[in-house]
Amino acid sequence: MSENTFNTLEEFKKFRERMNKEILDRGTINTKRFWNLDGAVYREGAIEPKYKELMGLVASMVLRCDDCITYHMIRCAELGVTDEEFFETFDIALIVGGSIVIPHLRRAVNTLLEIRRLQANGESVSV
């Protein structure tokens, strides 16, 4: 497994938590400000958080960031996004990003399957 590939959502969450702590413990005030801004834009506002996360998912797929895709998939699941909503969102990412998005779509669907398996077993998928 490479540094940027995770076999399970649990591996992803543990790595993310550990590295976020390291970055925030050691980072500059600018890093901390960015982290704060990043969290703030996804909060309740004129646009519901669910739709903000779906927009983040599209952007992440088009930009081909698998860590970001995984994060937004988890947040979307936490916010009640249905499989139908996920697949329509994937369609938007494909149209915007083109066929280069297909490998990331495969990983996103694999992540969705894991999320649904965990949820069916009563396990948490939160980050």
Side-chain angles (χ1 to χ4, degrees), residues 3 14 27 38-39 43 49-50 55 63 67 73 80 83 92-93 95-96 104 112 122:
E3 276 183 54
K14 284 181 180 178
D38 181 59
R43 291 189 195 120
K50 171 181 171 176
M55 286 189 272
L63 293 169
D67 283 10
M73 295 280 303
D83 288 4
I92 294 166
I95 290 299
V96 174
H104 304 278
L112 178 58

Side-chain angles (χ1 to χ4, degrees), residues 39-116:
V41 299
Y42 288 94
R43 291 189 195 120
E44 189 70 45
I47 299 171
E48 294 175 37
K50 171 181 171 176
Y51 300 111
K52 292 178 181 185
E53 292 295 343
L54 287 168
M55 286 189 272
L57 177 57
V58 168
S60 298
M61 291 181 78
V62 170
L63 293 169
R64 303 186 306 261
C65 176
D66 288 325
D67 283 10
C68 299
I69 293 167
T70 299
Y71 174 80
H72 289 293
M73 295 280 303
I74 292 168
R75 287 291 299 135
C76 285
E78 289 177 313
L79 294 169
V81 171
T82 66
D83 288 4
E84 292 80 11
E85 290 170 321
F86 273 119
F87 277 88
E88 284 190 21
T89 301
F90 298 156
D91 289 346
I92 294 166
L94 284 168
I95 290 299
V96 174
S99 63
I100 194 74
V101 170
I102 292 172
H104 304 278
L105 172 60
R106 289 184 191 115
R107 288 190 281 281
V109 171
N110 188 59
T111 297
L112 178 58
L113 292 172
E114 183 176 1
I115 286 170
R116 296 305 189 219

Side-chain angles (χ1 to χ4, degrees), residues 17-34:
E17 184 178 312
R18 189 175 79 245
M19 288 298 99
N20 282 356
K21 182 181 180 338
E22 188 72 27
I23 291 164
L24 290 173
D25 285 349
R26 299 176 61 152
T28 68
I29 188 72
N30 292 321
T31 301
K32 293 171 185 173
R33 286 177 178 160
F34 183 84

Side-chain angles (χ1 to χ4, degrees), residues 1-8 11-19 23 65-68 70:
M1 174 175 70
S2 74
E3 276 183 54
N4 297 327
T5 304
F6 304 97
N7 292 316
T8 66
E11 287 177 8
F12 168 78
K13 290 189 292 187
K14 284 181 180 178
F15 176 79
R16 183 179 180 278
E17 184 178 312
R18 189 175 79 245
M19 288 298 99
I23 291 164
C65 176
D66 288 325
D67 283 10
C68 299
T70 299

